[in-house]
Amino acid sequence: MTKTEKKIDKAIREALTLACDDILARVAGFEWLTHQVDFKNVAGTLKVICIFDTQTAQANALCEQENKKMIQLIQTRLVSIGIHLKATRQIRFDNEERCIAEHGGNWALRLAC
């Protein structure tokens, strides 16, 4: 990783940590988030994955349109560091139960798919 990529990665991590803290305080069942990015095209390749504890909590958040608020919080934090996502589909939602059922709880394997 180049020096520039390390700076960008640090800024993304800090912005997403703030977004995560915001979401944890507001959305029941939300547990954590992670991201993936290709530094050659940050805005076009950045993916943020929001993880809920259960499928029910994820479904409830979607029914109550908490997902829209979560997307807005994430986008706001990323814009503050100069990253404008090209599409809201770059923010996905998943849950621990599904990861356990489909990938034995191995998030690295699940996220690689």
Side-chain angles (χ1 to χ4, degrees):
M1 190 180 292
T2 68
K3 197 179 237 186
T4 301
E5 291 171 344
K6 286 180 183 178
K7 280 180 146 180
I8 294 168
D9 189 51
K10 182 180 182 208
I12 291 170
R13 288 177 187 276
E14 289 173 351
L16 291 178
T17 296
L18 292 171
C20 184
D21 292 343
D22 292 342
I23 297 166
L24 279 167
R26 296 176 182 176
V27 180
F30 173 78
E31 288 197 338
W32 55 283
L33 59 77
T34 190
H35 74 284
Q36 298 173 320
V37 66
D38 177 352
F39 292 104
K40 291 177 179 71
N41 178 11
V42 174
T45 64
L46 179 62
K47 293 179 185 163
V48 179
I49 303 95
C50 301
I51 312 298
F52 288 85
D53 56 354
T54 64
Q55 290 182 34
T56 302
Q58 181 182 349
N60 287 344
L62 297 177
C63 287
E64 296 171 16
Q65 298 194 351
E66 292 293 337
N67 61 322
K68 290 180 183 178
K69 295 174 190 170
M70 292 170 67
I71 290 169
Q72 186 176 19
L73 285 168
I74 291 166
Q75 287 177 324
T76 299
R77 292 295 183 178
L78 291 173
V79 166
S80 75
I81 60 167
I83 297 174
H84 301 268
L85 296 181
K86 294 189 180 214
T88 56
R89 71 178 182 277
Q90 289 175 255
I91 302 172
R92 297 185 344 198
F93 301 92
D94 207 341
N95 63 74
E96 295 280 359
E97 285 180 339
R98 191 173 299 143
C99 180
I100 291 167
E102 296 174 7
H103 293 93
N106 184 337
W107 278 103
L109 177 63
R110 184 167 184 80
L111 295 174
C113 296

